[in-house]
Short mmCIF file of all heavy atoms in Angstrom, two decimals:
data_model
loop_
_atom_site.label_atom_id
_atom_site.label_comp_id
_atom_site.label_asym_id
_atom_site.label_seq_id
_atom_site.Cartn_x
_atom_site.Cartn_y
_atom_site.Cartn_z
N MET A 17 -76.74 -79.55 -136.54
CA MET A 17 -77.71 -78.65 -135.94
C MET A 17 -77.70 -77.31 -136.64
O MET A 17 -76.54 -76.81 -136.95
CB MET A 17 -77.61 -78.56 -134.41
CG MET A 17 -78.68 -77.70 -133.85
SD MET A 17 -78.47 -77.70 -132.03
CE MET A 17 -80.28 -77.57 -131.63
N ILE A 18 -78.80 -76.58 -136.80
CA ILE A 18 -78.74 -75.33 -137.44
C ILE A 18 -79.50 -74.25 -136.55
O ILE A 18 -80.30 -74.72 -135.76
CB ILE A 18 -79.41 -75.27 -138.89
CG1 ILE A 18 -80.90 -75.54 -138.78
CG2 ILE A 18 -78.69 -76.10 -139.76
CD1 ILE A 18 -81.59 -75.36 -139.98
N ASN A 19 -79.00 -73.03 -136.81
CA ASN A 19 -79.58 -71.98 -135.95
C ASN A 19 -80.03 -70.91 -137.06
O ASN A 19 -79.22 -70.59 -137.86
CB ASN A 19 -78.62 -71.39 -134.96
CG ASN A 19 -79.17 -70.22 -134.18
OD1 ASN A 19 -80.27 -70.42 -133.63
ND2 ASN A 19 -78.43 -69.24 -134.00
N ILE A 20 -81.22 -70.40 -136.99
CA ILE A 20 -81.71 -69.40 -137.82
C ILE A 20 -81.82 -68.15 -136.97
O ILE A 20 -82.58 -68.14 -135.89
CB ILE A 20 -82.98 -69.69 -138.47
CG1 ILE A 20 -82.80 -71.05 -139.32
CG2 ILE A 20 -83.48 -68.63 -139.34
CD1 ILE A 20 -84.12 -71.52 -139.96
N LYS A 21 -81.24 -67.04 -137.48
CA LYS A 21 -81.27 -65.77 -136.77
C LYS A 21 -81.47 -64.59 -137.77
O LYS A 21 -81.21 -64.65 -138.94
CB LYS A 21 -80.04 -65.47 -135.86
CG LYS A 21 -78.74 -65.25 -136.69
CD LYS A 21 -77.65 -64.86 -135.81
CE LYS A 21 -76.53 -64.20 -136.74
NZ LYS A 21 -75.61 -63.34 -135.97
N LYS A 22 -81.95 -63.48 -137.21
CA LYS A 22 -82.19 -62.33 -137.99
C LYS A 22 -80.82 -61.60 -138.19
O LYS A 22 -80.10 -61.51 -137.19
CB LYS A 22 -83.17 -61.25 -137.23
CG LYS A 22 -83.38 -60.13 -137.95
CD LYS A 22 -84.43 -59.21 -137.19
CE LYS A 22 -84.57 -57.85 -137.88
NZ LYS A 22 -85.47 -57.02 -137.08
N ALA A 23 -80.45 -61.20 -139.30
CA ALA A 23 -79.24 -60.63 -139.63
C ALA A 23 -79.18 -59.17 -138.97
O ALA A 23 -80.21 -58.51 -138.96
CB ALA A 23 -78.95 -60.54 -141.05
N THR A 24 -77.98 -58.78 -138.54
CA THR A 24 -77.87 -57.54 -137.95
C THR A 24 -76.67 -56.78 -138.54
O THR A 24 -75.89 -57.32 -139.34
CB THR A 24 -77.60 -57.60 -136.53
OG1 THR A 24 -76.36 -58.21 -136.17
CG2 THR A 24 -78.76 -58.44 -135.74
N PHE A 25 -76.39 -55.57 -138.09
CA PHE A 25 -75.33 -54.77 -138.57
C PHE A 25 -73.98 -55.55 -138.38
O PHE A 25 -73.02 -55.47 -139.17
CB PHE A 25 -75.20 -53.49 -137.80
CG PHE A 25 -76.19 -52.46 -138.16
CD1 PHE A 25 -77.41 -52.25 -137.36
CD2 PHE A 25 -76.05 -51.64 -139.33
CE1 PHE A 25 -78.42 -51.44 -137.71
CE2 PHE A 25 -77.12 -50.70 -139.70
CZ PHE A 25 -78.21 -50.69 -139.00
N ALA A 26 -73.85 -56.36 -137.27
CA ALA A 26 -72.70 -57.09 -137.01
C ALA A 26 -72.38 -58.19 -138.00
O ALA A 26 -71.21 -58.63 -138.23
CB ALA A 26 -72.75 -57.75 -135.64
N ASP A 27 -73.39 -58.54 -138.90
CA ASP A 27 -73.22 -59.54 -139.88
C ASP A 27 -72.79 -59.00 -141.22
O ASP A 27 -72.61 -59.62 -142.27
CB ASP A 27 -74.47 -60.37 -140.05
CG ASP A 27 -74.85 -61.02 -138.73
OD1 ASP A 27 -74.08 -61.73 -138.20
OD2 ASP A 27 -76.11 -60.75 -138.32
N SER A 28 -72.74 -57.63 -141.40
CA SER A 28 -72.57 -56.94 -142.59
C SER A 28 -71.40 -57.49 -143.45
O SER A 28 -71.44 -57.57 -144.67
CB SER A 28 -72.64 -55.45 -142.43
OG SER A 28 -71.50 -55.03 -141.76
N LYS A 29 -70.26 -57.59 -142.78
CA LYS A 29 -69.08 -57.93 -143.62
C LYS A 29 -69.08 -59.38 -144.24
O LYS A 29 -68.76 -59.45 -145.41
CB LYS A 29 -67.78 -57.84 -142.68
CG LYS A 29 -67.35 -56.41 -142.39
CD LYS A 29 -65.94 -56.36 -142.01
CE LYS A 29 -65.50 -54.96 -141.57
NZ LYS A 29 -65.78 -54.09 -142.64
N ILE A 30 -69.59 -60.28 -143.48
CA ILE A 30 -69.66 -61.59 -144.07
C ILE A 30 -70.83 -61.67 -145.11
O ILE A 30 -70.70 -62.29 -146.06
CB ILE A 30 -69.90 -62.68 -142.90
CG1 ILE A 30 -69.77 -64.15 -143.58
CG2 ILE A 30 -71.18 -62.54 -142.24
CD1 ILE A 30 -68.43 -64.50 -144.05
N ILE A 31 -71.84 -60.94 -144.92
CA ILE A 31 -72.93 -60.91 -145.88
C ILE A 31 -72.52 -60.31 -147.15
O ILE A 31 -72.64 -60.78 -148.23
CB ILE A 31 -74.22 -60.20 -145.38
CG1 ILE A 31 -74.87 -61.12 -144.28
CG2 ILE A 31 -75.19 -59.85 -146.40
CD1 ILE A 31 -76.06 -60.47 -143.59
N GLY A 32 -71.71 -59.19 -147.05
CA GLY A 32 -71.09 -58.57 -148.16
C GLY A 32 -70.17 -59.48 -149.00
O GLY A 32 -70.31 -59.65 -150.16
N PHE A 33 -69.35 -60.15 -148.23
CA PHE A 33 -68.39 -61.22 -148.84
C PHE A 33 -69.22 -62.32 -149.55
O PHE A 33 -68.88 -62.59 -150.84
CB PHE A 33 -67.58 -61.77 -147.79
CG PHE A 33 -66.59 -62.79 -148.25
CD1 PHE A 33 -65.55 -62.46 -149.14
CD2 PHE A 33 -66.92 -64.18 -148.24
CE1 PHE A 33 -64.73 -63.48 -149.60
CE2 PHE A 33 -66.10 -65.07 -148.74
CZ PHE A 33 -64.99 -64.82 -149.38
N VAL A 34 -70.01 -62.88 -148.88
CA VAL A 34 -70.81 -64.10 -149.50
C VAL A 34 -71.66 -63.59 -150.73
O VAL A 34 -71.68 -64.36 -151.71
CB VAL A 34 -71.67 -64.77 -148.47
CG1 VAL A 34 -72.63 -65.79 -148.96
CG2 VAL A 34 -70.81 -65.35 -147.38
N HIS A 35 -72.33 -62.46 -150.56
CA HIS A 35 -73.18 -61.94 -151.65
C HIS A 35 -72.31 -61.63 -152.94
O HIS A 35 -72.68 -62.16 -154.07
CB HIS A 35 -73.89 -60.63 -151.27
CG HIS A 35 -74.95 -60.16 -152.30
ND1 HIS A 35 -75.68 -59.20 -151.92
CD2 HIS A 35 -75.19 -60.52 -153.48
CE1 HIS A 35 -76.51 -58.88 -152.93
NE2 HIS A 35 -76.13 -59.65 -153.92
N SER A 36 -71.24 -61.02 -152.67
CA SER A 36 -70.32 -60.72 -153.84
C SER A 36 -69.72 -61.94 -154.44
O SER A 36 -69.64 -62.12 -155.72
CB SER A 36 -69.22 -59.86 -153.38
OG SER A 36 -68.38 -59.48 -154.43
N ALA A 37 -69.18 -62.86 -153.70
CA ALA A 37 -68.65 -64.07 -154.20
C ALA A 37 -69.68 -64.98 -154.94
O ALA A 37 -69.37 -65.53 -155.95
CB ALA A 37 -67.98 -64.86 -153.01
N ALA A 38 -70.93 -65.06 -154.34
CA ALA A 38 -71.88 -65.78 -155.02
C ALA A 38 -72.37 -65.24 -156.30
O ALA A 38 -72.56 -66.00 -157.23
CB ALA A 38 -73.15 -66.04 -154.02
N TRP A 39 -72.48 -63.96 -156.39
CA TRP A 39 -72.79 -63.22 -157.60
C TRP A 39 -71.83 -63.31 -158.70
O TRP A 39 -72.18 -63.74 -159.75
CB TRP A 39 -73.00 -61.71 -157.25
CG TRP A 39 -73.67 -60.94 -158.24
CD1 TRP A 39 -75.09 -60.86 -158.25
CD2 TRP A 39 -73.21 -60.17 -159.35
NE1 TRP A 39 -75.53 -60.02 -159.30
CE2 TRP A 39 -74.25 -59.62 -159.93
CE3 TRP A 39 -71.98 -59.96 -159.76
CZ2 TRP A 39 -74.18 -58.76 -161.04
CZ3 TRP A 39 -71.84 -59.06 -160.85
CH2 TRP A 39 -72.86 -58.54 -161.57
N LYS A 40 -70.54 -63.38 -158.31
CA LYS A 40 -69.45 -63.51 -159.36
C LYS A 40 -69.42 -64.92 -159.85
O LYS A 40 -69.27 -65.12 -161.01
CB LYS A 40 -68.08 -63.22 -158.69
CG LYS A 40 -67.98 -61.65 -158.54
CD LYS A 40 -66.68 -61.30 -157.80
CE LYS A 40 -66.60 -59.83 -157.62
NZ LYS A 40 -65.30 -59.47 -156.95
N GLN A 41 -69.66 -65.87 -158.98
CA GLN A 41 -69.55 -67.37 -159.36
C GLN A 41 -70.88 -67.58 -160.21
O GLN A 41 -70.74 -68.29 -161.24
CB GLN A 41 -69.60 -68.21 -158.09
CG GLN A 41 -69.65 -69.67 -158.39
CD GLN A 41 -68.40 -70.14 -159.19
OE1 GLN A 41 -67.24 -69.58 -158.90
NE2 GLN A 41 -68.44 -71.14 -159.97
N THR A 42 -71.97 -67.11 -159.86
CA THR A 42 -73.29 -67.47 -160.52
C THR A 42 -73.14 -66.86 -162.02
O THR A 42 -73.66 -67.49 -162.92
CB THR A 42 -74.39 -66.88 -159.79
OG1 THR A 42 -74.56 -67.54 -158.60
CG2 THR A 42 -75.72 -67.12 -160.52
N TYR A 43 -72.62 -65.59 -162.19
CA TYR A 43 -72.64 -64.97 -163.38
C TYR A 43 -71.43 -64.90 -164.27
O TYR A 43 -71.21 -64.17 -165.19
CB TYR A 43 -73.13 -63.52 -163.23
CG TYR A 43 -74.65 -63.49 -162.63
CD1 TYR A 43 -74.94 -63.19 -161.38
CD2 TYR A 43 -75.69 -63.91 -163.50
CE1 TYR A 43 -76.23 -63.14 -160.83
CE2 TYR A 43 -77.03 -63.82 -163.00
CZ TYR A 43 -77.12 -63.46 -161.74
OH TYR A 43 -78.58 -63.50 -161.21
N LYS A 44 -70.34 -65.80 -163.82
CA LYS A 44 -69.10 -65.73 -164.49
C LYS A 44 -69.23 -66.05 -166.03
O LYS A 44 -68.29 -65.64 -166.74
CB LYS A 44 -68.18 -66.61 -163.79
CG LYS A 44 -68.48 -68.16 -163.88
CD LYS A 44 -67.41 -69.00 -163.15
CE LYS A 44 -67.78 -70.47 -163.33
NZ LYS A 44 -66.85 -71.26 -162.57
N ASN A 45 -70.14 -66.82 -166.45
CA ASN A 45 -70.26 -67.14 -167.83
C ASN A 45 -71.25 -66.32 -168.61
O ASN A 45 -71.54 -66.64 -169.75
CB ASN A 45 -70.64 -68.58 -167.97
CG ASN A 45 -69.51 -69.67 -167.45
OD1 ASN A 45 -68.45 -69.33 -167.70
ND2 ASN A 45 -69.94 -70.65 -166.76
N ILE A 46 -71.83 -65.26 -167.95
CA ILE A 46 -72.75 -64.46 -168.49
C ILE A 46 -72.18 -63.00 -168.62
O ILE A 46 -72.50 -62.42 -169.75
CB ILE A 46 -74.13 -64.41 -167.67
CG1 ILE A 46 -74.71 -65.88 -167.52
CG2 ILE A 46 -75.09 -63.47 -168.13
CD1 ILE A 46 -75.84 -66.02 -166.54
N PHE A 47 -71.61 -62.39 -167.69
CA PHE A 47 -71.08 -61.14 -167.80
C PHE A 47 -69.58 -61.12 -167.99
O PHE A 47 -68.91 -62.14 -167.61
CB PHE A 47 -71.37 -60.25 -166.50
CG PHE A 47 -72.95 -60.10 -166.32
CD1 PHE A 47 -73.54 -60.72 -165.18
CD2 PHE A 47 -73.60 -59.33 -167.05
CE1 PHE A 47 -74.90 -60.55 -165.10
CE2 PHE A 47 -74.93 -59.10 -166.94
CZ PHE A 47 -75.64 -59.62 -165.94
N SER A 48 -69.08 -60.04 -168.47
CA SER A 48 -67.59 -59.98 -168.71
C SER A 48 -66.87 -59.94 -167.34
O SER A 48 -67.44 -59.54 -166.26
CB SER A 48 -67.18 -58.70 -169.45
OG SER A 48 -67.44 -57.50 -168.68
N LYS A 49 -65.56 -60.31 -167.38
CA LYS A 49 -64.76 -60.30 -166.31
C LYS A 49 -64.57 -58.91 -165.69
O LYS A 49 -64.65 -58.75 -164.36
CB LYS A 49 -63.35 -61.01 -166.64
CG LYS A 49 -62.55 -61.37 -165.41
CD LYS A 49 -61.31 -62.00 -165.92
CE LYS A 49 -60.58 -62.60 -164.79
NZ LYS A 49 -59.44 -63.49 -165.22
N ASP A 50 -64.43 -57.93 -166.54
CA ASP A 50 -64.34 -56.58 -165.99
C ASP A 50 -65.56 -56.08 -165.34
O ASP A 50 -65.48 -55.49 -164.31
CB ASP A 50 -63.98 -55.63 -167.23
CG ASP A 50 -62.60 -55.74 -167.79
OD1 ASP A 50 -61.82 -56.25 -167.12
OD2 ASP A 50 -62.47 -55.38 -168.98
N PHE A 51 -66.76 -56.51 -165.82
CA PHE A 51 -67.99 -56.11 -165.20
C PHE A 51 -68.09 -56.82 -163.77
O PHE A 51 -68.37 -56.15 -162.68
CB PHE A 51 -69.19 -56.44 -166.00
CG PHE A 51 -70.49 -56.15 -165.39
CD1 PHE A 51 -70.94 -54.75 -165.39
CD2 PHE A 51 -71.35 -57.05 -164.83
CE1 PHE A 51 -72.10 -54.34 -164.82
CE2 PHE A 51 -72.50 -56.74 -164.32
CZ PHE A 51 -72.90 -55.42 -164.36
N LEU A 52 -67.70 -58.02 -163.72
CA LEU A 52 -67.80 -58.74 -162.47
C LEU A 52 -66.79 -58.24 -161.42
O LEU A 52 -67.12 -58.16 -160.29
CB LEU A 52 -67.57 -60.31 -162.83
CG LEU A 52 -68.61 -61.00 -163.51
CD1 LEU A 52 -68.23 -62.36 -163.84
CD2 LEU A 52 -69.94 -60.99 -162.70
N ASN A 53 -65.63 -57.82 -161.96
CA ASN A 53 -64.74 -57.40 -161.08
C ASN A 53 -64.95 -55.87 -160.51
O ASN A 53 -64.39 -55.54 -159.55
CB ASN A 53 -63.32 -57.27 -161.76
CG ASN A 53 -62.70 -58.70 -161.93
OD1 ASN A 53 -63.07 -59.52 -161.16
ND2 ASN A 53 -61.79 -58.77 -162.84
N SER A 54 -66.00 -55.31 -161.13
CA SER A 54 -66.41 -54.00 -160.49
C SER A 54 -67.30 -54.19 -159.34
O SER A 54 -67.47 -53.33 -158.62
CB SER A 54 -67.23 -53.29 -161.66
OG SER A 54 -68.40 -53.85 -161.84
N ASP A 55 -67.76 -55.39 -159.08
CA ASP A 55 -68.49 -55.72 -157.84
C ASP A 55 -67.40 -55.98 -156.73
O ASP A 55 -66.41 -56.44 -156.97
CB ASP A 55 -69.38 -56.94 -158.07
CG ASP A 55 -70.29 -57.14 -156.91
OD1 ASP A 55 -71.01 -56.25 -156.54
OD2 ASP A 55 -70.26 -58.26 -156.46
N SER A 56 -67.88 -55.66 -155.64
CA SER A 56 -66.96 -56.01 -154.36
C SER A 56 -67.73 -56.26 -153.14
O SER A 56 -68.99 -55.89 -153.02
CB SER A 56 -66.09 -54.69 -154.05
OG SER A 56 -66.84 -53.68 -153.55
N ALA A 57 -67.10 -56.94 -152.21
CA ALA A 57 -67.75 -57.27 -151.00
C ALA A 57 -68.07 -55.96 -150.14
O ALA A 57 -69.24 -55.92 -149.57
CB ALA A 57 -66.77 -58.06 -150.10
N GLU A 58 -67.29 -54.96 -150.36
CA GLU A 58 -67.54 -53.70 -149.61
C GLU A 58 -68.78 -53.02 -150.23
O GLU A 58 -69.61 -52.45 -149.51
CB GLU A 58 -66.38 -52.68 -149.77
CG GLU A 58 -65.07 -53.12 -149.07
CD GLU A 58 -64.30 -54.21 -149.70
OE1 GLU A 58 -64.62 -54.51 -151.01
OE2 GLU A 58 -63.55 -54.90 -149.10
N LYS A 59 -68.99 -53.05 -151.50
CA LYS A 59 -70.19 -52.49 -152.19
C LYS A 59 -71.46 -53.26 -151.63
O LYS A 59 -72.48 -52.67 -151.34
CB LYS A 59 -70.06 -52.57 -153.71
CG LYS A 59 -71.30 -52.17 -154.53
CD LYS A 59 -71.07 -52.46 -155.97
CE LYS A 59 -72.38 -52.30 -156.73
NZ LYS A 59 -72.26 -52.64 -158.13
N ARG A 60 -71.35 -54.59 -151.60
CA ARG A 60 -72.52 -55.41 -151.20
C ARG A 60 -72.74 -55.20 -149.81
O ARG A 60 -73.92 -55.25 -149.29
CB ARG A 60 -72.19 -56.88 -151.44
CG ARG A 60 -72.07 -57.19 -152.90
CD ARG A 60 -73.36 -56.77 -153.85
NE ARG A 60 -73.20 -57.13 -155.14
CZ ARG A 60 -74.27 -57.21 -156.03
NH1 ARG A 60 -75.43 -56.91 -155.62
NH2 ARG A 60 -74.07 -57.60 -157.27
N GLU A 61 -71.70 -55.04 -148.94
CA GLU A 61 -71.93 -54.71 -147.44
C GLU A 61 -72.61 -53.44 -147.32
O GLU A 61 -73.64 -53.29 -146.48
CB GLU A 61 -70.54 -54.60 -146.80
CG GLU A 61 -70.65 -54.22 -145.33
CD GLU A 61 -69.29 -54.15 -144.62
OE1 GLU A 61 -68.31 -54.12 -145.37
OE2 GLU A 61 -69.31 -53.79 -143.39
N LYS A 62 -72.33 -52.39 -148.08
CA LYS A 62 -72.97 -51.08 -147.94
C LYS A 62 -74.50 -51.16 -148.40
O LYS A 62 -75.34 -50.58 -147.78
CB LYS A 62 -72.22 -50.04 -148.90
CG LYS A 62 -72.88 -48.64 -148.77
CD LYS A 62 -72.36 -47.62 -149.57
CE LYS A 62 -72.96 -46.30 -149.57
NZ LYS A 62 -74.30 -46.21 -149.29
N GLU A 63 -74.63 -52.00 -149.46
CA GLU A 63 -76.12 -52.22 -149.86
C GLU A 63 -76.97 -52.83 -148.77
O GLU A 63 -78.08 -52.45 -148.52
CB GLU A 63 -76.11 -52.99 -151.06
CG GLU A 63 -75.66 -52.24 -152.38
CD GLU A 63 -75.49 -53.18 -153.59
OE1 GLU A 63 -75.68 -54.49 -153.47
OE2 GLU A 63 -75.15 -52.70 -154.68
N PHE A 64 -76.25 -53.87 -148.10
CA PHE A 64 -76.93 -54.57 -147.03
C PHE A 64 -77.30 -53.56 -145.86
O PHE A 64 -78.38 -53.51 -145.33
CB PHE A 64 -76.09 -55.74 -146.53
CG PHE A 64 -76.54 -56.33 -145.29
CD1 PHE A 64 -77.73 -57.06 -145.11
CD2 PHE A 64 -75.85 -56.01 -144.04
CE1 PHE A 64 -78.19 -57.54 -143.95
CE2 PHE A 64 -76.32 -56.57 -142.86
CZ PHE A 64 -77.46 -57.29 -142.73
N LEU A 65 -76.18 -52.87 -145.41
CA LEU A 65 -76.41 -51.90 -144.36
C LEU A 65 -77.50 -50.76 -144.77
O LEU A 65 -78.37 -50.55 -143.84
CB LEU A 65 -75.15 -51.13 -144.01
CG LEU A 65 -74.05 -52.09 -143.44
CD1 LEU A 65 -72.71 -51.43 -143.26
CD2 LEU A 65 -74.50 -52.53 -142.00
N ASP A 66 -77.51 -50.40 -145.92
CA ASP A 66 -78.56 -49.35 -146.38
C ASP A 66 -79.89 -49.95 -146.25
O ASP A 66 -80.94 -49.34 -145.98
CB ASP A 66 -78.22 -48.79 -147.79
CG ASP A 66 -76.96 -48.02 -147.86
OD1 ASP A 66 -76.49 -47.46 -146.76
OD2 ASP A 66 -76.48 -47.68 -148.97
N SER A 67 -80.05 -51.24 -146.70
CA SER A 67 -81.43 -51.82 -146.65
C SER A 67 -81.92 -52.28 -145.35
O SER A 67 -83.15 -52.60 -145.17
CB SER A 67 -81.37 -53.02 -147.68
OG SER A 67 -80.58 -54.05 -147.12
N LEU A 68 -81.03 -52.36 -144.40
CA LEU A 68 -81.55 -52.75 -142.95
C LEU A 68 -82.58 -51.78 -142.39
O LEU A 68 -83.40 -52.24 -141.58
CB LEU A 68 -80.33 -52.86 -142.00
CG LEU A 68 -79.54 -54.22 -141.98
CD1 LEU A 68 -78.47 -54.13 -140.97
CD2 LEU A 68 -80.45 -55.34 -141.75
N SER A 69 -82.50 -50.48 -142.85
CA SER A 69 -83.52 -49.60 -142.23
C SER A 69 -84.92 -49.71 -143.00
O SER A 69 -85.82 -49.07 -142.51
CB SER A 69 -82.98 -48.21 -142.37
OG SER A 69 -82.71 -47.84 -143.75
N GLU A 70 -84.92 -50.55 -144.03
CA GLU A 70 -86.25 -50.65 -144.66
C GLU A 70 -87.19 -51.55 -143.90
O GLU A 70 -86.91 -52.61 -143.52
CB GLU A 70 -86.00 -51.30 -146.10
CG GLU A 70 -85.16 -50.47 -147.05
CD GLU A 70 -85.95 -49.20 -147.48
OE1 GLU A 70 -87.22 -49.25 -147.66
OE2 GLU A 70 -85.30 -48.16 -147.66
N PRO A 71 -88.45 -51.11 -143.59
CA PRO A 71 -89.32 -51.83 -142.82
C PRO A 71 -89.80 -53.16 -143.35
O PRO A 71 -90.14 -54.08 -142.57
CB PRO A 71 -90.51 -50.88 -142.53
CG PRO A 71 -90.44 -49.94 -143.64
CD PRO A 71 -88.98 -49.86 -144.15
N ASN A 72 -89.79 -53.31 -144.71
CA ASN A 72 -90.34 -54.44 -145.34
C ASN A 72 -89.29 -55.51 -145.67
O ASN A 72 -89.56 -56.43 -146.48
CB ASN A 72 -91.20 -54.10 -146.55
CG ASN A 72 -92.45 -53.28 -146.19
OD1 ASN A 72 -93.01 -53.55 -145.04
ND2 ASN A 72 -92.75 -52.25 -146.85
N ILE A 73 -88.00 -55.32 -145.24
CA ILE A 73 -86.89 -56.18 -145.70
C ILE A 73 -86.42 -57.01 -144.36
O ILE A 73 -86.21 -56.34 -143.34
CB ILE A 73 -85.82 -55.50 -146.25
CG1 ILE A 73 -86.17 -54.83 -147.66
CG2 ILE A 73 -84.66 -56.36 -146.55
CD1 ILE A 73 -85.21 -54.08 -148.34
N LEU A 74 -86.39 -58.16 -144.55
CA LEU A 74 -85.82 -59.18 -143.38
C LEU A 74 -84.81 -59.99 -144.00
O LEU A 74 -85.08 -60.68 -144.98
CB LEU A 74 -87.05 -59.87 -142.83
CG LEU A 74 -86.66 -60.92 -141.72
CD1 LEU A 74 -86.04 -60.23 -140.49
CD2 LEU A 74 -87.80 -61.78 -141.44
N TYR A 75 -83.67 -59.99 -143.30
CA TYR A 75 -82.58 -61.04 -143.76
C TYR A 75 -82.52 -62.03 -142.71
O TYR A 75 -82.41 -61.77 -141.44
CB TYR A 75 -81.31 -60.22 -143.92
CG TYR A 75 -81.26 -59.35 -145.12
CD1 TYR A 75 -81.47 -57.94 -144.83
CD2 TYR A 75 -81.00 -59.76 -146.33
CE1 TYR A 75 -81.37 -56.98 -145.89
CE2 TYR A 75 -80.91 -58.84 -147.40
CZ TYR A 75 -81.10 -57.55 -147.18
OH TYR A 75 -81.02 -56.61 -148.12
N LEU A 76 -82.39 -63.25 -143.03
CA LEU A 76 -82.10 -64.40 -142.11
C LEU A 76 -80.83 -64.96 -142.39
O LEU A 76 -80.45 -65.15 -143.59
CB LEU A 76 -83.24 -65.40 -142.17
CG LEU A 76 -84.66 -64.75 -141.83
CD1 LEU A 76 -85.66 -65.93 -142.07
CD2 LEU A 76 -84.74 -64.36 -140.40
N ILE A 77 -80.14 -65.45 -141.38
CA ILE A 77 -78.92 -66.13 -141.50
C ILE A 77 -79.05 -67.55 -140.96
O ILE A 77 -79.58 -67.67 -139.84
CB ILE A 77 -77.73 -65.46 -140.73
CG1 ILE A 77 -77.48 -64.10 -141.39
CG2 ILE A 77 -76.47 -66.33 -140.71
CD1 ILE A 77 -76.52 -63.16 -140.68
N ILE A 78 -78.50 -68.51 -141.67
CA ILE A 78 -78.62 -69.97 -141.17
C ILE A 78 -77.10 -70.16 -140.71
O ILE A 78 -76.21 -70.18 -141.59
CB ILE A 78 -79.10 -70.85 -142.26
CG1 ILE A 78 -80.52 -70.54 -142.70
CG2 ILE A 78 -78.94 -72.32 -141.77
CD1 ILE A 78 -81.02 -71.34 -143.93
N GLU A 79 -77.15 -70.55 -139.51
CA GLU A 79 -75.67 -70.87 -138.91
C GLU A 79 -75.76 -72.42 -138.65
O GLU A 79 -76.64 -72.99 -138.18
CB GLU A 79 -75.47 -70.22 -137.57
CG GLU A 79 -75.48 -68.71 -137.78
CD GLU A 79 -75.33 -68.01 -136.43
OE1 GLU A 79 -76.00 -68.45 -135.41
OE2 GLU A 79 -74.46 -67.20 -136.26
N MET A 80 -74.55 -73.07 -139.23
CA MET A 80 -74.44 -74.45 -138.88
C MET A 80 -73.56 -74.51 -137.60
O MET A 80 -72.52 -74.10 -137.45
CB MET A 80 -73.62 -75.13 -140.04
CG MET A 80 -74.27 -74.99 -141.42
SD MET A 80 -75.94 -75.58 -141.50
CE MET A 80 -75.59 -77.29 -141.55
N ILE A 81 -74.15 -75.22 -136.57
CA ILE A 81 -73.55 -75.40 -135.34
C ILE A 81 -73.30 -76.83 -134.98
O ILE A 81 -73.87 -77.69 -135.39
CB ILE A 81 -74.22 -74.68 -134.12
CG1 ILE A 81 -75.75 -74.49 -134.44
CG2 ILE A 81 -73.62 -73.31 -133.89
CD1 ILE A 81 -76.39 -73.86 -133.33
#
């Protein structure tokens, strides 16, 4: 069963982690290792938190239960 919910501030750490990990995995054969290592879960978490106040942005989380 799955549950779909609107992402909130409480989800910021996991979203930052998943975003950074997925980005590094996806682009590992395209960008240099140094460039990829400049990305971090904390950076992505901050970007997510900053964008939550934007009225036209909606994040959804799919939870497997």
Side-chain angles (χ1 to χ4, degrees):
M17 180 175 215
I18 64 170
N19 181 44
I20 300 173
K21 70 172 196 159
K22 182 178 176 183
T24 68
F25 289 99
D27 302 306
S28 65
K29 287 205 183 302
I30 191 66
I31 288 173
F33 173 79
V34 170
H35 187 173
S36 180
W39 197 84
K40 288 175 181 179
Q41 179 65 33
T42 300
Y43 295 108
K44 70 181 178 182
N45 295 320
I46 298 171
F47 295 113
S48 73
K49 194 173 190 176
D50 288 339
F51 181 77
L52 292 174
N53 287 336
S54 71
D55 188 54
S56 69
E58 294 79 15
K59 176 184 169 187
R60 297 299 182 166
E61 177 185 4
K62 183 182 179 326
E63 290 171 355
F64 167 74
L65 290 171
D66 290 346
S67 68
L68 274 181
S69 62
E70 295 293 325
N72 297 322
I73 296 178
L74 172 66
Y75 293 97
L76 298 175
I77 296 177
I78 299 173
E79 299 176 311
M80 304 300 287
I81 28 180

